[in-house]
Structure formats: C-alpha cells, structure tokens
Amino acid sequence: MRRINFKDVEVAYLTSTKFPERDKDTKEMLDKLGVEAHRFDGGVTDPYTIGVATGHLQALSSLSMPCLLLEDDARLAVKMPEFSSVTMEIPDNAQALYLGTSQFGRIENKTALGGVICSRTQYNWVHRVYNMLSMHAVIYLCDEYKKHITTHLEAFIKNPPPDNGVDDFIADTMHRFQVYAVSRPLFFQQDGHSDQVTLAPLMPKI
C-alpha cells in the first residue's frame, strides 16, 4: 500500500484561449479547493487535438512526479475538502491514478461505449483499468509511464492521425502498465457531450 497526499502533488491545468470561460471556471474551482496550479496553454490549433496534446506535453515535460493534470473542462463530481487535507491509499505498483473516468473504452482499436475493462483491487474505491479513454484528471506517478505518454504526445503532434483522438493510443496501450482509476469519479468532464459518461461509476468486469 502506498499513501499519496495531495499536498505533495504538483497540479497543473491545461487550457486554451479558445475557451476563456473554461479557464476562468477552472481557476475558480482550484481556488475553492485551495490549490495552487501551473497553467499550460496548448494554443488554438487545427486540428484542435494538437493543442490538447501540446498542453499535456508541456505540463509533463515541466513537472516532477507525482503530478496531477486537469483539463480545463474537468469539474468536481463530489464534495471535497481542500486537497491538502486528502490522503489516498493506492497500490504500491501504481504508475498512474485516474481521478476522472469514462464509460468509453478501446476494444480492438475501436472506441466502444461501455467497453471499459477494469478489475477489482484490495481497495474498494480503486480499480485497475486496461483500456479507458480519459485524460481530464490524471495523477502521473512515475517516470516510466510519463515517458510513455510524452513519447506518444510528441509523435501525435508531429503527425496526428486523421481519425484518432489524443487518448486513443494511450487507451490501446494502457494494459501494459499498472494504471488505476477511482471507482467513482472525483472529476467529470463538463464539455457538453461527455458529462454523463464521465459521471457513471466504473463496474469491474474481471
């Protein structure tokens, strides 16, 4: 068992001048939580996914482990005290902990609603996940997983696949790593189309 306290986690949020209202709302949310966060702007790009990848890459390249990255549409799904008072117990081998979840998973290189594969752990509140599409609230815990993600982001920015999102490859390769997610999301994605699929609890299948 490993304990992680939010006061020991660097926090960053990823935004763009394309959505100034999201930037403002994220700042207000973090202020209420008592969190000082770095701000990274991926820019307004075409396609927009390059900007998303750029923001994540900037943050991961600048911060030390562990670090929590929040996208600017991540919103609290639960009532929570100041982050500095929260301690979480996670498996010793955890390489990443997703505080935001999704019902979308990748199966045979295709996105499927309800396709997330996850398994129970000795902790009731956290499951291991193998193929989940979700990047809006992630704690990166080790350099090995960070390197895997940054290598992918660099390749994506250089040559973005026409029909794939930033997180498709991450979900496709998630099973290679010790990645965990909260059973009930602490953050959901308030972007107008992902709200419900990022609010539902994860249901273990194995």
Side-chain angles (χ1 to χ4, degrees):
M1 177 185 69
R2 174 182 178 185
R3 287 187 173 90
I4 183 166
N5 191 297
F6 279 119
K7 70 180 180 181
D8 301 322
V9 177
E10 283 197 274
V11 180
Y13 76 95
L14 318 173
T15 190
S16 166
T17 54
K18 182 178 181 179
F19 299 110
E21 71 285 354
R22 291 184 181 178
D23 191 356
K24 174 178 175 293
D25 291 345
T26 302
K27 288 179 182 177
E28 291 178 355
M29 176 185 70
L30 292 170
D31 285 343
K32 290 179 181 178
L33 290 171
V35 172
E36 293 186 9
H38 305 272
R39 178 184 182 276
F40 293 92
D41 188 336
V44 180
T45 59
D46 183 18
Y48 81 96
T49 49
I50 294 179
V52 174
T54 299
H56 281 268
L57 180 61
Q58 290 172 344
L60 287 173
S61 300
S62 302
L63 304 180
S64 57
M65 300 292 100
C67 64
L68 167 61
L69 302 193
L70 296 169
E71 294 184 337
D72 62 5
D73 54 8
R75 297 292 175 263
L76 276 174
V78 297
K79 292 183 179 180
M80 186 181 293
E82 289 190 356
F83 266 40
S84 59
S85 65
V86 177
T87 298
M88 310 180 84
E89 294 181 349
I90 58 177
D92 287 325
N93 63 355
Q95 296 178 295
L97 175 65
Y98 281 62
L99 304 183
T101 64
S102 174
Q103 296 298 302
F104 281 106
R106 293 279 291 178
I107 298 177
E108 295 181 351
N109 297 317
K110 295 181 180 179
T111 298
L113 178 61
V116 175
I117 299 172
C118 61
S119 60
R120 299 181 188 277
T121 69
Q122 60 180 311
Y123 310 102
N124 292 329
W125 69 277
V126 64
H127 304 314
R128 184 177 174 190
V129 284
Y130 299 87
N131 67 337
M132 187 174 67
L133 283 162
S134 177
M135 290 181 71
H136 57 280
V138 184
I139 297 179
Y140 295 89
L141 294 165
C142 73
D143 288 329
E144 180 184 359
Y145 192 64
K146 170 185 171 180
K147 182 178 180 181
H148 172 70
I149 300 300
T150 55
T151 299
H152 160 64
L153 293 172
E154 290 168 348
F156 185 94
I157 292 167
K158 184 176 181 180
N159 187 27
D163 299 320
N164 291 79
V166 180
D167 52 352
D168 288 359
F169 174 82
I170 296 173
D172 287 339
T173 57
M174 188 175 284
H175 64 279
R176 302 178 190 172
F177 300 89
Q178 297 295 322
V179 177
Y180 296 85
V182 291
S183 57
R184 293 184 178 275
L186 302 185
F187 293 89
F188 73 103
Q189 193 167 17
Q190 193 176 57
D191 61 0
H193 58 85
S194 301
D195 302 43
Q196 293 306 311
V197 296
T198 58
L199 276 168
L202 290 178
M203 302 301 292
K205 297 183 177 180
I206 56 176

